[in-house]
């Protein structure tokens, strides 16, 4: 029974795409970072909160307050070792193409995002 679970193929591409879009919305101030807390490691959650606060201060200075239009272009994932996935999600954000790099590791029987960054 445990061999079946261990060999079960996991495709994190849809998960990475959804988390990437939500991450962009957090940075834009449309979504609160707490909504991602369930899927992030503690350190990554702290980093996302800090980045969201910096972006909010920047928006306050510039006065730009628009909801980003996020369109998924492609997602590529790689199994880096037995318990981790690395992925790149290409998004079109309000007319500009950007990439989000994500790493997910198995932490206490659940995959958690341990690194996420907008490139």
């Amino acid at each position: 029974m445990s061999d079946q679970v261990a060999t079960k193929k996991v495709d994190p591409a849809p998960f990475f795409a959804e988390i990437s879009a939500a991450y962009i919305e957090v940075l834009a101030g449309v979504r609160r970072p707490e909504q991602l807390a369930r899927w992030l490691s503690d350190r990554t959650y702290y980093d996302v909160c800090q980045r969201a606060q910096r972006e909010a201060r920047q928006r306050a200075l510039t006065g730009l307050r628009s909801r980003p239009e996020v369109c998924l272009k492609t997602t590529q994932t790689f199994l880096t070792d037995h318990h981790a996935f690395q992925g790149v999600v290409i998004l079109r954000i309000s007319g500009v193409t950007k990439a989000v790099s994500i790493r997910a590791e198995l932490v206490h029987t659940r995959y958690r995002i341990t690194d996420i960054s907008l490139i």
Side-chain angles (χ1 to χ4, degrees):
M1 179 84 170
S2 63
D3 289 336
Q4 291 175 348
V5 173
T7 60
K8 185 178 177 183
K9 178 125 170 105
V10 177
D11 181 20
F15 173 66
F16 282 4
E18 290 292 324
I19 290 294
S20 295
Y23 178 62
I24 297 302
E25 291 174 350
V26 165
L27 296 182
V30 177
R31 185 186 293 255
R32 294 189 338 258
E34 294 84 20
Q35 293 175 322
L36 295 179
R38 175 181 180 182
W39 297 283
L40 303 177
S41 68
D42 292 340
R43 181 180 158 273
T44 305
Y45 175 71
Y46 176 79
D47 292 344
V48 168
C49 287
Q50 294 300 309
R51 176 104 191 247
Q53 288 176 357
R54 284 194 306 270
E55 294 291 331
R57 284 193 295 270
Q58 185 67 28
R59 280 191 308 278
L61 290 174
T62 61
L64 296 175
R65 298 192 187 278
S66 63
R67 182 180 186 97
E69 188 176 316
V70 180
C71 177
L72 175 67
K73 295 307 242 180
T74 186
T75 303
Q76 185 71 41
T77 59
F78 311 94
L79 183 63
T80 56
D81 60 32
H82 188 64
H83 299 292
F85 286 94
Q86 187 77 28
V88 177
V89 180
I90 307 296
L91 301 168
R92 186 128 178 109
I93 307 164
S94 300
V96 179
T97 302
K98 299 272 187 165
V100 176
S101 172
I102 299 178
R103 179 172 174 83
E105 295 178 11
L106 192 63
V107 178
H108 302 295
T109 70
R110 288 186 57 196
Y111 280 96
R112 300 279 184 162
I113 303 295
T114 57
D115 187 40
I116 186 167
S117 59
L118 178 66
I119 302 170

